[in-house]
Amino acid sequence: MAKRTVAEQFVDILVRAGVQRLYGVVGDSLNPVVDAVRRTSGIDWIQVRHEEVAAFAAGAEAQLTGRLAACAGSCGPGNLHLINGLYDAHRSMAPVLALASHIPSSEIGTNYFQETHPDRLFAECSHYSELISSTRQMPRVLQTAIQHAIGQSGVAVVSLPGDIAAEQAPERTIEHALVTSRPSVRPGDAEIDKLARMVDGAGKVTLFCGSGTAGAHAEVMEFAERVKAPVGHALRGKEWIQYDNPYDVGMSGLLGYGAAYEATHECDLLILLGTDFPYNAFLPDDVKIVQVDVRPEHLGRRTKLDLAVWGDVRETLRSLIPRVREKTSRKFLDRMLKKHADALEGVVKAYTRNVEKHTPIHPEYVAAILDEEAADDAVFTVDTGMCNVWAARYLSPNGRRRVIGSFSHGSMANALPQAIGAQFIDRRRQVVSMSGDGGFSMLMGDFLTLVQYDLPVKVVLFNNSALSMVELEMLVSGLPSYGTTYRNPDFAAIARAAGAHGIRVEKPKQLRSALRDAFKHKGPALVDVVTDPNALSIPPKISAEMVSGFALSAGKIVLDGGVGRMLQMARSNLRNVPRR
């Protein structure tokens, strides 16, 4: 039997763990591993143009499949580029293994060319980050890293010097069976009984759901019906809980809409299901709160709890439902449902009616038409910023669609890289990148990756030549917008020059046919939609501080000669301001 190198052993273990792709950029210290991938069946090297894209793509693959995904970077600057995408994967609880190849082992600590200390650098964005300094360490360290990533749902990093990767693996090294899936966690009977008593004792119950409700849709609906509870959700809970939900009252938070805010504040008992919702300003402080989460470190870190329940949402509800008495009054639920319907009619649909002649095009209109034209099982990747708002308010989940973004880390430029990882999973499934012009241009080089691999990703570019979310942040802080505008090229022309399908849309009547043409195209496509830069998101709850901040910034803009700009903004948002 021929002897294996450490690199070959490394790749073999990845394959046994179910890794099918290794995303990265080649480089000297990484070459032994890349060559081992070349010679190993069952795994492919995916060459991207920037290592940050590699990490985002791996994170997207892990989120969509629930399986371990992997990325790699060469020594120093190469693996350092991974860090932002790894932060996103880690905060999204995506199981990702990152290989940070390293300088020659004999040179570590001498300020050698390109020297960094990746085992230290990645410690904050991983559950496990270790350096392999001996060939005998490799199997156990890699296997431990894999089980950290899978078992704790996050990132694990292995730093491997190139010279050690090229050495022969020692004989009789320990390679044990790998754990590749997580168990279910059921709370104890004492906690279930306490929760049942609290539910029975509450007149008005509201459920607020996050991504931890994945796989628990039926149980949440059954429980909501039993206790006549309105059901709100956080952004990451939308795709799992909003569809086929007769108790839906919308979303809370900075991007929220509907009556979720009111439902969480006007109840007697608020039950947080599988959510680590970070915006405690949107949570009540005068009602009883229960939190159910499979991650015990999440319990109580956002708000004071009256009961903390450690367990899967599905297993918890399965145990809880038979123990609670069915409520008969729908008064609270029906009142919240009416508020929600009124809010949707008056706010969310404001820009999607009678706008076929408005130019620049309302971005809400683009999102609404995209929602109608996209496939029933489409995967949407969503850029941070205003694209988050339009996706949250206008994309319709149905149990088959997926929507992912940098919802916890909040990084720019995530949508295109995540679309790459999503499309490699299944080339036949429609993948749509909802990109902002700021995020797209930041990592635009990897549009060439779509062309190189002929990935049929459809990029719908919301091109308003501005960082609109940043403008809104400035306005509510009482500051005039500054440093937020771009002079953009014709992105569709760039797409065509790269060898992809590209079309520019400047009038609403062109939009639907442009999207249909892009979706029919068999390869990568980009639809460059020129949208209204004055369309702003209005939060579901407007504080006095926000109003005064906006008025102050409006005054500053007017005094600075921007009357026309404020008039345009007022016209763009007049119908979107909630009436009291």
Side-chain angles (χ1 to χ4, degrees):
M1 181 177 177
K3 291 185 176 180
R4 295 184 299 173
T5 65
V6 170
E8 290 172 318
Q9 188 181 43
F10 188 101
V11 172
D12 285 344
I13 292 173
L14 289 186
V15 173
R16 285 203 298 120
V19 174
Q20 299 178 10
R21 282 162 286 273
L22 188 57
Y23 300 89
V25 178
V26 297
D28 52 1
S29 60
L30 194 54
N31 290 344
V33 173
V34 176
D35 188 63
V37 171
R38 179 183 64 84
R39 293 180 285 105
T40 302
S41 61
I43 187 170
D44 294 316
W45 174 258
I46 305 301
Q47 178 185 2
V48 297
R49 303 302 175 108
H50 194 295
E51 289 90 349
E52 183 177 350
V53 172
F56 271 122
E61 180 179 324
Q63 289 181 69
L64 291 168
T65 65
R67 300 191 303 266
L68 183 71
C71 57
S74 59
C75 62
N79 63 60
L80 192 59
H81 283 157
L82 295 170
I83 197 163
N84 190 53
L86 291 182
Y87 260 100
D88 181 78
H90 193 57
R91 299 189 71 182
S92 300
M93 296 182 288
V96 171
L97 187 286
L99 168 59
S101 68
H102 207 354
I103 64 172
S105 56
S106 61
E107 303 299 333
I108 295 174
T110 67
N111 198 25
Y112 189 73
F113 175 65
Q114 293 190 324
E115 181 173 8
T116 59
H117 292 87
D119 52 317
R120 304 179 200 171
L121 286 168
F122 294 104
E124 189 174 308
C125 63
S126 67
H127 291 301
Y128 182 89
S129 181
E130 292 293 342
L131 168 68
I132 293 176
S133 54
S134 164
T135 58
R136 293 190 176 276
Q137 280 181 278
M138 207 292 292
R140 284 187 296 167
V141 168
L142 178 56
Q143 289 164 165
T144 302
I146 288 170
Q147 295 187 176
H148 272 79
I150 294 171
Q152 298 186 38
S153 297
V155 170
V157 182
V158 174
S159 302
L160 178 63
D163 60 313
I164 292 179
E167 290 184 20
Q168 287 188 349
E171 297 179 1
R172 299 179 182 177
T173 53
I174 299 172
E175 294 185 31
H176 58 70
L178 293 168
V179 174
T180 57
S181 61
R182 290 172 55 87
S184 297
V185 178
R186 179 194 181 281
D189 288 336
E191 284 71 29
I192 294 294
D193 288 339
K194 288 179 185 177
L195 179 52
R197 287 194 296 270
M198 293 181 71
V199 173
D200 286 344
K204 298 177 292 184
V205 179
T206 293
L207 310 182
F208 187 69
C209 303
S211 61
T213 58
H217 185 275
E219 288 77 10
V220 173
M221 296 303 105
E222 183 180 358
F223 183 59
E225 169 58 29
R226 193 168 184 83
V227 299
K228 308 301 183 285
V231 179
H233 58 267
L235 178 55
R236 291 190 66 197
K238 176 185 173 75
E239 62 178 328
W240 305 114
I241 217 68
Q242 187 188 39
Y243 69 95
D244 295 339
N245 180 358
Y247 318 99
D248 178 47
V249 291
M251 190 171 82
S252 190
L254 295 172
L255 310 185
Y257 58 87
Y261 182 91
E262 289 83 356
T264 57
H265 282 72
E266 296 179 26
C267 60
D268 301 321
L269 176 65
L270 173 61
I271 304 179
L272 306 175
L273 294 174
T275 179
D276 190 34
F277 185 68
Y279 305 109
N280 54 15
F282 288 88
L283 292 173
D285 54 12
D286 57 353
V287 304
K288 290 184 178 180
I289 299 179
V290 173
Q291 184 177 3
V292 180
D293 207 293
V294 73
R295 301 284 290 265
E297 67 271 23
H298 290 178
L299 295 171
R301 72 177 182 179
R302 305 301 184 192
T303 187
K304 182 180 177 181
L305 300 180
D306 293 275
L307 180 64
V309 180
W310 180 12
D312 296 333
V313 171
R314 184 172 63 178
E315 296 301 323
T316 300
L317 293 182
R318 283 179 174 178
S319 300
L320 176 65
I321 290 169
R323 305 191 193 196
V324 298
R325 294 193 300 269
E326 184 168 5
K327 298 186 186 299
T328 57
S329 173
R330 288 180 55 98
K331 188 174 181 180
F332 175 62
L333 171 60
D334 290 341
R335 183 162 59 87
M336 291 300 112
L337 291 176
K338 186 178 187 308
K339 280 192 174 185
H340 180 59
D342 290 344
L344 289 179
E345 182 66 27
V347 179
V348 176
K349 292 183 179 179
Y351 287 129
T352 58
R353 296 189 303 261
N354 303 318
V355 293
E356 291 81 1
K357 296 182 180 180
H358 179 91
T359 55
I361 303 169
H362 280 311
E364 297 92 333
Y365 179 71
V366 179
I369 299 301
L370 174 60
D371 182 57
E372 294 174 8
E373 294 295 331
D376 288 342
D377 66 343
V379 176
F380 297 91
T381 61
V382 182
D383 258 343
T384 296
M386 297 306 289
C387 282
N388 263 279
V389 181
W390 314 141
R393 295 185 176 183
Y394 296 98
L395 293 185
S396 303
N398 57 13
R400 299 173 61 201
R401 286 178 166 180
R402 294 297 311 273
V403 181
I404 62 173
S406 187
F407 299 143
S408 296
H409 186 48
S411 173
M412 286 182 64
N414 60 285
L416 173 63
Q418 289 178 329
I420 291 171
Q423 194 71 84
F424 266 114
I425 298 170
D426 185 353
R427 287 175 175 268
R428 296 168 298 179
R429 189 174 186 181
Q430 188 181 88
V431 176
V432 180
S433 172
M434 291 180 63
S435 298
D437 54 328
F440 179 77
S441 58
M442 185 178 284
L443 288 174
M444 187 168 59
D446 267 278
F447 187 81
L448 301 177
T449 300
L450 302 183
V451 177
Q452 178 169 332
Y453 288 97
D454 196 28
L455 291 174
V457 170
K458 313 308 177 188
V459 178
V460 178
L461 185 61
F462 289 68
N463 182 3
N464 63 2
S465 300
L467 296 173
S468 294
M469 183 62 81
V470 180
E471 287 189 346
L472 179 60
E473 292 166 353
M474 289 179 170
L475 288 170
V476 299
S477 298
L479 302 172
S481 59
Y482 180 75
T484 58
T485 58
Y486 290 115
R487 180 178 176 182
N488 282 334
D490 182 335
F491 288 107
I494 292 176
R496 292 192 297 271
H501 175 82
I503 185 168
R504 187 173 173 91
V505 177
E506 297 180 346
K507 297 180 180 179
K509 65 181 181 180
Q510 302 170 332
L511 179 61
R512 196 180 295 272
S513 61
L515 290 175
R516 288 179 177 177
D517 288 345
F519 290 150
K520 288 178 184 177
H521 183 70
K522 293 183 179 180
L526 183 145
V527 182
D528 181 7
V529 187
V530 180
T531 59
D532 187 353
N534 298 310
L536 300 177
S537 164
I538 304 298
K541 190 69 175 180
I542 304 175
S543 67
E545 291 79 7
M546 289 180 179
V547 173
S548 62
F550 190 89
L552 178 60
S553 52
K556 288 182 179 178
I557 293 173
V558 170
L559 290 174
D560 200 32
V563 177
R565 166 97 166 103
M566 282 310 303
L567 183 59
Q568 289 176 335
M569 188 177 296
R571 287 173 175 170
S572 293
N573 291 282
L574 180 61
R575 290 174 294 173
N576 205 28
V577 176
R579 288 169 171 76
R580 296 181 182 275

